[in-house]
Amino acid sequence: MSQDQAAAVTGETQLEKVRARYGLLAVIISNVAIVAVAIVGVWRLDGDKSVIVGILTAAFTAVSSMTTAYLGIKAVSNTARSIALGDGGRSSRQHGAPATTKAPEPTTAPATPPAQRTTS
């Protein structure tokens, strides 16, 4: 690998770290904002239980959806990046080890089909 390629990979790695930090920060700030609005909403309703349950359900759904979407997009992005860089999804194994894939054993079909039954 030449020095230019090494510098490009290092720059891309740094950029990816910055994207991950600010993406996570955006998710955390929006989750905190959703929780704050839910708390203020519950506090202002003065005990109307059916509406409080609705507010808390909506807040929980929004927080979980936001977090799940971020983590899903991040996982897909990491996978696509490793494939594009030629890692081939070997990030969990040692990078120097070749990927060994064994072809599946062919299933043997019966030599002759079963005879047809006739009804008389």
Side-chain angles (χ1 to χ4, degrees), residues 50-89:
S50 62
V51 177
I52 289 173
V53 169
I55 289 174
L56 293 178
T57 302
F60 178 77
T61 302
V63 167
S64 62
S65 298
M66 178 89 57
T67 306
T68 303
Y70 170 74
L71 294 175
I73 291 169
K74 186 68 181 144
V76 169
S77 172
N78 288 346
T79 302
R81 182 174 179 270
S82 69
I83 289 171
L85 292 176
D87 188 17

Side-chain angles (χ1 to χ4, degrees), residues 2-59:
S2 71
Q3 290 179 350
D4 292 337
Q5 289 174 336
V9 169
T10 303
E12 288 177 18
T13 303
Q14 290 298 328
L15 179 62
E16 191 64 30
K17 286 180 182 179
V18 169
R19 285 181 182 165
R21 284 185 190 130
Y22 284 110
L24 184 60
L25 182 64
V27 170
I28 290 172
I29 289 172
S30 32
N31 285 348
V32 168
I34 291 168
V35 169
V37 168
I39 289 171
V40 169
V42 168
W43 174 63
R44 297 284 294 166
L45 288 175
D46 294 328
D48 188 2
K49 297 204 186 318
S50 62
V51 177
I52 289 173
V53 169
I55 289 174
L56 293 178
T57 302

